Each structure stands twice: as C-alpha cells, then as structure tokens.
C-alpha cells in the first residue's frame, strides 16, 4: 500500500454551524496528497498506522463536529475523516436538514473530507415522494463546500438498486460495498461490476467485516443455517484474499474495515449487543474476531 505523503497547513481555523456554534483556533491540518486505500471505522483507537477513518455520529452537527475535533487532537496523524451522520431512526426530512448544516460552512479545523449515509438503501426507502429529487437535494446540500459524499450498500441490495434508476446516484463519490452473507463471497466481483454501473462516478471500496457474525446473520440469504466457526473464518479469509486481489488489479479503489478496533478487538462495544453476539458465545466471538484481525493485518501488511 502507498504510504501517505502530507503537508501541514497552519492557519486560523473556524467552524460555524448556521450561526449557532463558532470555534476559533490555530490548528495544523494535514492535506491529503497521496493516494491511500484503507479506511477503518472508529477514531478513538490507534489501529496501527491507518490514517483514514470513518466515524458514525447521528447527533446534531455541532456536537458531531465538536467530537471529531476533540478526538483528532488526540490523534493528529489522521489525515482523512469521513462522517456517517444518519441514524436509522432519522426521518428523511431531518437528514436533509443535517446535510444543509454540514454543507453550509467549510470545516477547516479537522481533516473532514467526506460526509454520507451508512445503510443507504434503508434510507432511500424512508423517502416519501420523488426519491430522485429528494436525494439530489440532500447530496447537493452536503457537498456545497467541497465535501465528498459516501454511502454504504450491501451486495444483496444491488439488484433492487439497479431497478431504482435514480439519477442522483451520479453525485455519489464513494461506495463502501459490503457482503453481508459469508458464503456469498464468490459472487462479490460481479456485484462490484454492477455497483460501478449504478454509481458511475463513485470509487468502490470493498467492505471488510472482520468480526464474528455467526449470531447476527445466517451463512446465506433466505436460509437459517449459521456458519460454524471454521466456516465463518474460512469465508471471511476467502473474501479478504479476493478483495486484495481486486484491489491490486484496480477493480476496487480501496478497502473499508468494520468495526475497526484493530488490535483492540476485546474492547468493541458491539459485544454488548445480543443480536451481534449471544452472551453464551462472547468469549468465542472475541477469540474468532481477534483471529480475523490478525489475519487482516497480515494479509494487508498493516503494522
């Protein structure tokens, strides 16, 4: 992977959120000048030398920007941040308002490069009326001051997205494409090809779930069978190797790692959610995820 090259710009920086919050400070913000291709979720841990992070924050924009600023000060080597700012409970109208806030003022005291929507297809279904018009307005508002717009989609949603014929997809800059069902990994290259047609101007990043998902979803869609621990790891590793090959050939523009916490798998808050990992399997979930994290770092040569 290409090591990042960055320059430091020192200036008076400000955040102004629709006249509500104003922060003035002297800061040094790294400018991204070299191509980088691995993004990890989470900002509160080191995760080796990965300098690109994606963060989920569905609170008010002022609160999320304040959180990013505080965390970046603790880890200023990070040079690229993405913010997924939509909660699953947010109405479409509230998301539009958030987009208008993020696009209203240029954020200069943290290296925020992208805003966007996790679980993008679920959000589309919440839009009433003309979906294309609403999405166009939402994305345009968020990008007004130079931010890019990124989304998460799942491989099993590709067919529905193909049929949607939404022109505003052209305005999306990055798509993180995750395979939700472990045994479906062999169809991933064809889904990437389709995603490139649906989102013609977007970079496609391969989504990597490097944690035990046995209790969360079955091995294959429309089936009840859970993966065994051996199957879970083998399928994870097979997709990872496939994605690495696609990345080296240029079929993928990068990789996005979820949940992050590389090297600190035991501390992930997700272990407290019964639907992600049954309490009776907690130790097994963590052990398998640590094994996945170790394989991931070795495969991608992440220090």
């Amino acid at each position: 992977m290409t090591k990042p090259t960055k320059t430091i710009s020192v200036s008076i920086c400000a955040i102004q959120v629709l006249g509500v919050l104003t922060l003035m400070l002297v800061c040094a913000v790294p400018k991204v000048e070299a191509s980088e291709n691995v993004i990890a979720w989470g900002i509160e841990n080191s995760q080796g030398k990965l300098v690109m992070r994606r963060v989920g924050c569905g609170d008010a924009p002022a609160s999320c920007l304040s959180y990013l600023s505080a965390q970046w000060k603790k880890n200023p080597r990070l040079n690229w941040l993405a913010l997924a700012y939509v909660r699953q409970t947010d109405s479409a109208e509230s998301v539009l308002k958030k987009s208008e806030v993020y696009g209203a003022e240029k954020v200069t005291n943290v290296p925020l490069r992208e805003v966007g929507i996790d679980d993008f297809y679920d959000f589309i279904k919440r839009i009433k009326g003309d979906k294309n018009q609403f999405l166009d307005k939402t994305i345009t508002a968020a990008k007004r001051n130079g931010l890019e717009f990124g989304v998460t989609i799942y491989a099993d949603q590709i067919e529905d997205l193909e049929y949607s014929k939404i022109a505003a997809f052209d305005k999306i800059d990055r798509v993180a494409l995750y395979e939700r069902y472990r045994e479906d990994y062999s169809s991933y290259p064809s889904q990437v090809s389709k995603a490139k047609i649906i989102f013609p101007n977007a970079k496609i990043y391969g989504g990597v779930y490097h944690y035990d998902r046995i209790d969360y979803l079955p091995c294959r869609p429309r089936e009840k069978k859970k993966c065994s621990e051996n199957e879970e790891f083998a399928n994870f590793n097979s997709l990872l190797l496939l994605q690495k090959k696609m990345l080296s050939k240029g079929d993928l523009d990068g990789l996005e790692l979820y949940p992050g916490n590389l090297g600190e798998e035991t501390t992930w808050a997700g272990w407290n959610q019964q639907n992600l990992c049954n309490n009776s399997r907690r130790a097994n979930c963590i052990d398998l995820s640590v094994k996945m994290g170790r394989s991931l770092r070795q495969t991608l040569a992440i220090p």
Side-chain angles (χ1 to χ4, degrees):
M1 290 183 290
T2 306
K3 291 185 178 180
T5 300
K6 58 188 179 183
T7 60
I8 300 295
S9 173
V10 180
S11 60
I12 298 295
C13 300
I15 300 177
Q16 185 175 18
V17 182
L18 296 186
V20 176
L21 172 69
T22 302
L23 299 176
M24 296 293 293
L25 65 161
V26 175
C27 62
V29 177
K31 296 179 180 178
V32 179
E33 293 189 344
S35 62
E36 298 165 281
N37 53 22
V38 179
I39 300 169
W41 275 80
I43 194 174
E44 296 182 3
N45 45 28
S46 62
Q47 305 202 69
K49 293 187 177 181
L50 295 179
V51 295
M52 302 176 72
R53 303 295 177 85
R54 192 178 185 195
V55 182
C57 184
D59 296 339
S63 177
C64 291
L65 291 172
S66 179
Y67 169 74
L68 282 183
S69 178
Q71 292 300 322
W72 181 72
K73 287 178 183 177
K74 298 177 184 178
N75 199 357
R77 67 186 179 82
L78 303 181
N79 65 12
W80 190 97
L81 298 178
L83 181 64
Y85 62 91
V86 178
R87 286 196 180 109
Q88 290 183 336
T89 55
D90 283 346
S91 67
E93 291 72 21
S94 68
V95 172
L96 174 58
K97 290 179 181 178
K98 287 182 181 179
S99 299
E100 291 170 343
V101 173
Y102 283 115
E105 296 291 339
K106 192 171 182 65
V107 179
T108 55
N109 79 316
V110 290
L112 181 63
R113 313 300 184 196
E114 174 191 291
V115 293
I117 301 176
D118 195 27
D119 295 318
F120 182 57
Y121 182 60
D122 289 339
F123 171 70
I124 293 174
K125 292 190 290 185
R126 298 204 296 271
I127 299 172
K128 299 175 183 179
D130 189 325
K131 296 182 184 299
N132 178 65
Q133 185 181 56
F134 191 91
L135 276 175
D136 188 281
K137 189 175 182 180
T138 299
I139 297 170
T140 299
K143 295 176 64 171
R144 188 168 296 130
N145 258 312
L147 291 173
E148 295 191 338
F149 197 87
V151 301
T152 301
I153 60 171
Y154 306 108
D156 55 294
Q157 298 169 340
I158 286 290
E159 186 173 328
D160 288 340
L161 288 166
E162 280 184 299
Y163 290 129
S164 67
K165 306 293 183 183
I166 295 177
F169 288 170
D170 289 5
K171 294 191 173 183
I172 292 172
D173 300 292
R174 189 178 71 87
V175 170
L177 178 61
Y178 284 83
E179 178 56 73
R180 288 198 283 194
Y181 298 94
R182 293 294 192 193
E183 285 190 5
D184 270 4
Y185 71 86
S186 61
S187 64
Y188 191 77
S190 65
Q191 305 292 43
V192 170
S193 297
K194 293 177 182 178
K196 290 181 178 181
I197 297 172
I198 299 168
F199 304 96
N201 298 315
K203 294 180 179 179
I204 308 297
Y205 273 57
V208 181
Y209 283 132
H210 57 98
Y211 71 101
D212 181 324
R213 291 166 60 83
I214 292 173
D215 293 326
Y216 185 57
L217 286 175
C219 264
R220 295 183 65 85
R222 296 176 295 278
E223 294 184 6
K224 294 183 179 180
K225 174 185 172 291
K226 293 183 177 182
C227 289
S228 68
E229 290 186 6
N230 286 338
E231 290 171 330
E232 181 80 357
F233 181 77
N235 290 330
F236 154 78
N237 220 39
S238 294
L239 178 57
L240 177 62
L241 291 172
L242 178 58
Q243 289 172 321
K244 180 184 178 184
K245 183 178 179 180
M246 293 176 71
L247 181 61
S248 66
K249 291 171 60 180
D251 295 330
L252 287 172
D253 295 292
L255 299 177
E256 182 178 289
L257 315 181
Y258 185 88
N261 283 61
L262 284 174
E264 302 175 36
E265 288 85 358
T266 60
T267 66
W268 185 42
W271 302 133
N272 297 320
Q273 300 179 42
Q274 278 281 318
N275 65 322
L276 294 182
C277 176
N278 190 288
N279 279 340
S280 64
R281 293 190 59 252
R282 185 178 180 117
N284 300 73
C285 291
I286 293 174
D287 287 346
L288 184 53
S289 300
V290 169
K291 184 179 178 182
M292 289 177 174
R294 189 180 304 121
S295 176
L296 172 65
R297 295 179 75 155
Q298 182 177 356
T299 300
L300 301 181
I302 299 173

